[in-house]
């Protein structure tokens, strides 16, 4: 059964209202975000996602509800990889703490638009060419093994998008004062902050190439794929400020995320021969992540971190 248009409009209207409230009321002033505030905000976004998932369960049944929660858990966990890269980006370009939240706000807004377009394209492909699900599965399986066996040593300044942006954009060398563009000698120039925003958007696009096909491995319902993805991304900013200082302590997180991708990829490739229930998928994904986090905490404690 197709989701009524009114639900698509209503969901996006609520998301837009929350973003406007966030930018114009809750975080109107430029300031650093405290750990306490990050924790409260993170729990708030999770509560909203859980509430929406319960509404989906009430309206569509337990199966659709479990699909939403599984997709949300996959996307939310994979977003932790984004956090590691954001830490490197902000450190490389020496972005002040009071500028980071606003920068991530616009980064998340761009990510919502890009991911909506990608999900729409993926849904259309699956609708017209059902066999594309096997291509998604093969790619996710490859991405999982790549993450498992290749240590990610990202040098931000050497990213192609940084080289391209520096070459193509008229960049200002002066102070930006929190602005994305300034006028110098009558010419419009982009600031360092805008360059960082471009890098943030690009890295999210790269991570979306892994996470969005992975959710299609859980459900092909476009409304579930879209809403679970958006709910996870909305909480990314507060999660960043909560985990930025501790992300390096989660030493086995990459292993856990890789195993999640491998499991989802294998599930997509074998669904016609060995179908797994959505309950089993949720238990396996949750179990993998729980083991990875617990093992990381034990390792960090033993190392005195």
């Amino acid at each position: 059964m197709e989701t009524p248009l009114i639900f698509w409009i209503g969901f996006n209207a609520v998301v837009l209202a929350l973003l406007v409230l966030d930018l114009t009321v809750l975080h109107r002033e430029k300031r650093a975000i405290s750990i306490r505030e990050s924790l409260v905000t993170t729990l708030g976004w999770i509560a909203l996602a859980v509430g929406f998932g319960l509404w989906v369960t009430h309206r569509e049944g337990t199966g659709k509800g479990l699909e939403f929660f599984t997709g949300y858990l996959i996307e939310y966990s994979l977003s932790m990889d984004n956090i590691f890269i954001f830490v490197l980006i902000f450190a490389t370009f020496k972005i002040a703490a009071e500028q980071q939240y606003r920068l991530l706000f616009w980064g998340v807004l761009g990510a919502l638009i890009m991911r909506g377009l990608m999900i729409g394209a993926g849904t259309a492909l699956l609708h017209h060419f059902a066999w594309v699900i096997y291509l998604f599965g093969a790619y996710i399986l490859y991405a999982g093994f790549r993450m498992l066996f290749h240590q990610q040593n990202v040098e931000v300044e050497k990213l192609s998008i940084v080289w391209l942006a520096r070459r193509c954009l008229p960049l200002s060398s002066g102070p930006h004062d929190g602005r994305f563009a300034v006028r110098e000698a009558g010419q419009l120039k982009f600031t360092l902050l805008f360059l960082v925003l471009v890098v943030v958007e690009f890295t999210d696009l790269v991570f979306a190439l892994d996470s969005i096909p992975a959710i299609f491995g859980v459900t092909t319902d476009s409304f579930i794929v879209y809403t679970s993805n958006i709910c996870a991304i909305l909480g990314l900013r507060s999660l960043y400020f909560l985990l930025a200082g501790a992300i390096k302590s989660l030493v086995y997180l990459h292993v856990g995320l890789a195993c999640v991708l491998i499991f989802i990829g294998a599930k997509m490739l074998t669904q016609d021969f060995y179908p797994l229930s959505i309950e089993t998928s949720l238990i396996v994904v949750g179990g993998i992540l729980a083991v990875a986090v617990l093992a990381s905490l034990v390792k960090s404690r033993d190392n005195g971190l």
Side-chain angles (χ1 to χ4, degrees):
M1 182 178 68
E2 287 192 7
T3 303
L5 180 61
I6 187 64
F7 291 139
W8 285 92
I9 296 174
F11 179 82
N12 284 295
V14 171
V15 168
L16 182 60
L18 289 172
L19 289 174
V20 170
L21 176 67
D22 191 333
L23 185 64
T24 60
V25 178
L26 300 180
H27 297 97
R28 181 170 51 188
E29 300 177 356
K30 299 174 185 177
R31 56 185 175 81
I33 306 299
S34 68
I35 295 295
R36 181 178 180 278
E37 182 180 357
S38 301
L39 177 59
V40 171
T41 309
T42 298
L43 292 176
W45 285 117
I46 292 175
L48 287 173
V50 171
F52 182 78
L54 292 176
W55 176 82
V56 171
T57 303
H58 173 74
R59 182 181 181 275
E60 302 287 351
T62 303
K64 289 295 183 183
L66 289 175
E67 288 178 3
F68 172 84
F69 285 117
T70 305
Y72 175 76
L73 180 60
I74 291 173
E75 179 58 44
Y76 201 68
S77 59
L78 290 174
S79 68
M80 292 185 185
D81 240 13
N82 295 49
I83 292 173
F84 176 74
I85 299 299
F86 291 164
V87 170
L88 289 179
I89 292 172
F90 292 154
T92 299
F93 292 104
K94 298 179 175 59
I95 301 300
E98 59 269 19
Q99 297 289 348
Q100 292 177 9
Y101 195 91
R102 179 170 171 267
L103 189 62
L104 286 177
F105 173 89
W106 292 109
V108 165
L109 185 61
L112 295 180
I113 296 171
M114 285 192 301
R115 286 169 182 252
L117 294 174
M118 292 175 67
I119 290 169
T123 301
L125 276 174
L126 290 173
H127 179 72
H128 290 94
F129 309 102
W131 50 267
V132 170
I133 194 72
Y134 298 109
L135 294 182
F136 284 176
Y139 174 76
I140 290 301
L141 196 63
Y142 161 75
F145 280 111
R146 181 188 62 196
M147 184 183 292
L148 186 62
F149 293 112
H150 291 83
Q151 184 68 29
Q152 293 184 329
N153 295 314
V154 179
E155 295 184 61
V156 176
E157 283 283 8
K158 294 184 178 181
L159 290 175
S160 58
I161 188 64
V162 175
W163 176 86
L164 187 63
R166 288 191 184 279
R167 190 172 182 84
C168 298
L169 295 176
L171 294 175
S172 168
S173 58
H176 51 73
D177 193 30
R179 290 176 290 176
F180 290 124
V182 294
R183 283 199 173 275
E184 292 183 353
Q187 182 183 3
L188 182 67
K189 290 190 176 183
F190 295 103
T191 65
L192 176 66
L193 207 62
F194 184 80
L195 173 62
V196 175
L197 178 61
V198 171
V199 178
V200 167
E201 296 287 12
F202 176 77
T203 54
D204 181 78
L205 176 62
V206 171
F207 283 116
L209 294 177
D210 290 345
S211 62
I212 290 177
I215 298 181
F216 277 117
V218 173
T219 177
T220 56
D221 186 319
S222 58
F223 187 69
I224 299 297
V225 174
Y226 178 75
T227 54
S228 62
N229 202 283
I230 298 306
C231 285
I233 290 299
L234 285 173
L236 179 58
R237 290 162 301 152
S238 56
L239 187 64
Y240 165 81
F241 289 102
L242 185 62
L243 296 181
I247 193 69
K248 291 183 179 180
S249 299
L250 299 175
V251 293
Y252 294 119
L253 179 61
H254 280 299
V255 175
L257 297 178
C259 289
V260 168
L261 290 176
I262 291 170
F263 167 72
I264 295 297
K267 177 179 180 293
M268 295 167 78
L269 292 173
T270 61
Q271 60 182 357
D272 291 337
F273 314 103
Y274 191 71
L276 294 177
S277 67
I278 190 63
E279 293 89 347
T280 301
S281 298
L282 180 57
I283 291 171
V284 171
V285 170
I288 291 172
L289 294 173
V291 169
V293 171
L294 289 174
S296 297
L297 294 176
V298 171
K299 180 73 172 179
S300 297
R301 184 192 62 185
D302 293 342
N303 291 340
L305 298 179

